[in-house]
Amino acid sequence: MFFCVLSILPDAKVQKIIDISANLLTLIPIFFVILQKIMERNQSMNFDQLFSSYANELIEHIEQLTESGGSYRKYYRIRSKTKHCLGVENPDPKENLAFVSYTRQFEKLGLNVPKILAENLDENQYLIEDLGDETLHSYLVKYRINKGFDEHLIEIYKSVIKHLLEFQIKAGKDFDYTYAYPKAKFDKESMLWDLNYFKYHFLKLAKISFDEHGLEKDFHAFANFLLTAHSEYFMYRDFQSRNIMLHNEKLYFIDYQGGRRGALQYDLASLLHQAKADIPHSIREQLLDFYIAELRNYQNVDEISFKKQYYGFVFIRILQTLGAYGFRGFYEKKEHFLKSIPFAVDNLEYLFRKFEFLAEMPVLKNVITEIINNQNFRHQAKLSSGNLTVSINSFSFKKGSYPEDLSGNGGGFVFDCRGLPNPGRYDEYKALNGKDEAVKKYLEQYAEVADFIDNCYRVVVGSIQNYIARDFQHLQINFGCTGGQHRSVYCAEKISEIILQEFDMQIVVNHREQK
């Protein structure tokens, strides 16, 4: 309609309208800046009074932090002229009360938790100490890229275990569970909640068939077994690397508001068998023995019974975690949780050999066997160090420009393979491509091909590490040759293999000219 009107106006008026429109377009970026400031101000107003009561200063900057995990809490980093903190908004008043009550008790005992700086629980808000952004999990991801799970990380986990025992035994001795939420004890009902969470949010959403009555019977048998463990300790409930902060070279602990009275083994299972932490099994066993040795500083330990019960709690923890991954992934379509499923299945497979009690729960045993053998849960295995996806393309320089970068980043690395020996010059290779064995053997006989791949990897690995550390989403790598058939295809496949040997991430390989 707009263009129809222009077509019947005199040229001078048309030009004037165009000039006005162009001027208006220049105001759009300014409009969005103003809109952003208004939004920041609205967020700021939510915390103005609370922050002023703490800092005696006005808020100068506030930004909402990226949401992660399964929480519905919102976090804001707030700064004034001389002070800074985190503002927390949580629509669940009972959870807020539990967090505040627990924090105050832990602080009195000298445990490393964030200080509560101010609170307005009537408005579901509170301010806490800003411990930065580095979690133990993010540190693990960066550190393991070059050094693996070495003695340094083992020592960190040993330190974490010592802190865990302080929460469990030192704090648990006279802990006040008045505001525990949703329950004050991890009892049989709680165990059945977790097991049914697994049933309804993983088994049913993943469309795994099972005998409903038989599975319920096995759930009760399993819960009765877990109840044989002593349970008069503080159970943190979600004790894992994402809830451990590294701040000023010290460990701090967060997200304990779901804590309750329970068994020691549960939190240890949560720590050592966290899916995405992917601790090697041999090191898990080493850290389990270390925990038992440290526990003996507090009380006598029947090691055989402790370990048998421990593997039971590992088992229920993994099932509960799969339920969470199913709900957040299958139902809410959050990819991060789907990417964690293969790690949990790997843990389940290892545990299957350890937890002999499953022989007495035949329906549950059959369900676990089906999960382990289902390759659909394996395809996403070890998809991501963080959330990075690497897109690797082969293409022909003669058949168009570089492959389009659909991520919106504007492109990535481009390597020219035309200086390498060309199998396309020989009749026996003309109908083949770089994925065929004959072509691979031809190229691999030349040292310069291996050197080329090695040099390409040395160039891209720095960006991969940097992108992971900064939680970037996408990196593109392109290999081009004359026809996009032999050398570029081979190099794209080869570099993807090398990256997968070094990193756990999603790689998408596309051969543009081979479609």
Side-chain angles (χ1 to χ4, degrees):
M1 177 65 74
F2 176 71
F3 291 105
C4 292
V5 171
L6 287 182
S7 66
I8 63 175
L9 291 174
D11 289 346
K13 290 189 176 181
V14 169
Q15 184 60 48
K16 188 173 183 180
I17 291 172
I18 292 173
D19 291 341
I20 293 172
S21 299
N23 289 332
L24 288 174
L25 287 173
T26 63
L27 297 175
I28 290 177
I30 299 173
F31 168 76
F32 280 110
V33 170
I34 294 172
L35 182 62
Q36 182 179 3
K37 294 296 183 183
I38 291 172
M39 293 173 66
E40 287 183 358
R41 180 57 187 160
N42 286 340
Q43 292 173 349
S44 174
M45 289 174 65
N46 289 338
F47 286 98
D48 270 345
Q49 185 174 355
L50 190 60
F51 185 83
S52 296
S53 70
Y54 150 65
N56 291 319
E57 294 178 350
L58 296 178
I59 294 174
E60 293 188 353
H61 177 74
I62 183 169
E63 60 176 319
Q64 184 175 350
L65 303 185
T66 303
E67 294 182 30
S68 63
S71 171
Y72 295 107
R73 293 183 297 278
K74 293 182 179 180
Y75 291 89
Y76 300 87
R77 179 159 280 131
I78 305 173
R79 291 188 176 91
S80 63
K81 185 175 182 178
T82 64
K83 296 182 180 180
H84 66 96
C85 66
L86 292 184
V88 186
E89 286 183 332
N90 182 6
D92 191 332
K94 291 183 178 179
E95 190 175 83
N96 293 335
L97 198 57
F99 179 81
V100 171
S101 169
Y102 286 10
T103 301
R104 293 210 167 108
Q105 293 183 70
F106 293 146
E107 279 191 280
K108 288 180 181 178
L109 294 169
L111 303 185
N112 292 358
V113 295
K115 293 181 174 62
I116 295 177
L117 306 176
E119 64 182 79
N120 183 355
L121 297 187
D122 290 337
E123 297 294 329
N124 295 323
Q125 293 180 341
Y126 52 91
L127 305 181
I128 59 174
E129 180 183 8
D130 186 353
L131 299 174
D133 297 315
E134 179 112 273
T135 66
L136 176 57
H137 178 75
S138 63
Y139 181 81
L140 285 171
V141 169
K142 290 183 289 186
Y143 186 89
R144 291 181 69 175
I145 289 172
N146 294 316
K147 299 185 179 180
F149 208 106
D150 62 6
E151 284 298 323
H152 172 66
L153 292 186
I154 292 173
E155 289 304 312
I156 289 179
Y157 265 82
K158 286 181 177 179
S159 179
V160 170
I161 284 172
K162 290 180 179 179
H163 283 282
L164 171 59
L165 282 163
E166 289 191 336
F167 278 96
Q168 292 178 318
I169 297 178
K170 182 179 178 180
K173 185 178 180 181
D174 298 308
F175 200 79
D176 180 3
Y177 294 97
T178 300
Y179 297 108
Y181 177 68
K183 295 198 71 173
K185 186 171 184 177
F186 191 64
D187 54 12
K188 186 173 182 178
E189 184 180 39
S190 301
M191 295 171 186
L192 292 175
W193 282 352
D194 281 359
L195 292 170
N196 282 298
Y197 190 60
F198 161 71
K199 178 174 74 174
Y200 289 110
H201 291 118
F202 188 83
L203 294 183
K204 288 188 177 289
L205 292 179
K207 299 181 180 179
I208 295 174
S209 60
F210 55 89
D211 174 359
E212 188 97 33
H213 176 72
L215 187 62
E216 191 68 22
K217 182 178 178 182
D218 286 353
F219 280 172
H220 280 268
F222 184 25
N224 289 335
F225 166 75
L226 296 176
L227 290 171
T228 63
H230 295 294
S231 58
E232 299 305 311
Y233 307 94
F234 178 78
M235 195 183 89
Y236 198 104
R237 179 63 170 167
D238 199 16
F239 194 81
Q240 43 103 347
S241 65
R242 293 184 187 275
N243 291 335
I244 301 171
M245 308 296 298
L246 298 175
H247 180 64
N248 293 335
E249 299 183 353
K250 291 176 65 177
L251 296 167
Y252 286 83
F253 302 85
I254 61 173
D255 279 9
Y256 36 72
Q257 59 279 343
R260 63 201 71 178
R261 187 181 288 109
L264 296 171
Q265 292 93 335
Y266 187 96
D267 287 334
L268 185 62
S270 301
L271 176 68
L272 300 186
H273 285 265
Q274 181 193 354
K276 290 297 288 290
D278 200 26
I279 303 174
H281 295 308
S282 61
I283 294 176
R284 284 186 180 130
E285 298 299 324
Q286 178 182 340
L287 292 172
L288 170 60
D289 290 337
F290 177 81
Y291 178 94
I292 292 173
E294 289 295 309
L295 179 58
R296 287 196 170 102
N297 294 326
Y298 294 90
Q299 62 188 45
N300 294 326
V301 183
D302 180 341
E303 184 171 337
I304 294 175
S305 295
F306 186 92
K307 285 189 173 182
K308 184 177 179 181
Q309 294 159 347
Y310 165 77
Y311 289 117
F313 280 99
V314 172
F315 193 79
I316 194 173
R317 176 64 182 175
I318 294 175
L319 297 187
Q320 187 273 339
T321 300
L322 281 172
Y325 293 162
F327 179 71
R328 299 293 186 185
F330 296 139
Y331 181 72
E332 293 189 336
K333 309 299 183 184
K334 294 183 177 179
E335 187 181 7
H336 163 72
F337 293 94
L338 292 175
K339 290 178 178 180
S340 296
I341 289 174
F343 292 91
V345 175
D346 285 346
N347 287 340
L348 204 57
E349 184 175 23
Y350 174 77
L351 183 64
F352 193 71
R353 300 189 296 270
K354 288 280 187 181
F355 189 47
E356 298 175 355
F357 194 70
L358 270 178
E360 302 175 31
M361 296 175 279
V363 178
L364 182 56
K365 182 178 180 180
N366 289 339
V367 165
I368 301 306
T369 301
E370 184 172 346
I371 292 172
I372 292 170
N373 293 333
N374 190 327
Q375 291 304 308
N376 290 331
F377 301 137
R378 303 286 191 168
H379 290 323
Q380 300 176 59
K382 301 178 180 176
L383 286 178
S384 174
S385 292
N387 298 310
L388 181 64
T389 295
V390 176
S391 174
I392 304 176
N393 305 289
S394 70
F395 71 99
S396 165
F397 282 98
K398 294 179 69 175
K399 297 180 181 178
S401 61
Y402 309 139
E404 183 181 1
D405 184 355
L406 299 177
S407 72
N409 290 342
F413 291 102
V414 179
F415 296 102
D416 188 352
C417 307
R418 289 175 292 186
L420 300 178
N422 186 5
R425 295 174 180 171
Y426 302 95
D427 290 339
E428 61 264 40
Y429 303 118
K430 285 184 177 179
L432 305 178
N433 64 49
K435 293 194 289 183
D436 291 310
E437 286 298 321
V439 174
K440 289 194 282 188
K441 287 181 180 178
Y442 172 86
L443 290 169
E444 287 169 357
Q445 68 180 312
Y446 294 97
E448 60 260 44
V449 174
D451 290 342
F452 178 82
I453 295 292
D454 184 61
N455 289 333
C456 291
Y457 178 74
R458 290 174 185 273
V459 171
V460 303
V461 69
S463 289
I464 292 174
Q465 293 168 343
N466 181 271
Y467 281 25
I468 291 170
R470 298 167 70 186
D471 201 29
F472 283 8
Q473 304 292 311
H474 187 266
L475 172 66
Q476 181 168 290
I477 304 170
N478 305 301
F479 291 91
C481 65
T482 304
Q485 180 178 343
H486 299 102
R487 294 166 292 181
S488 61
V489 171
Y490 171 84
C491 291
E493 292 287 332
K494 196 66 179 177
I495 205 77
S496 70
E497 293 173 10
I498 295 171
I499 292 172
L500 282 174
Q501 288 173 2
E502 300 296 327
F503 300 91
D504 296 334
M505 63 172 53
Q506 182 173 7
I507 291 183
V508 178
V509 180
N510 175 53
H511 302 298
R512 190 179 74 183
E513 320 304 345
Q514 299 303 304
K515 292 182 179 179

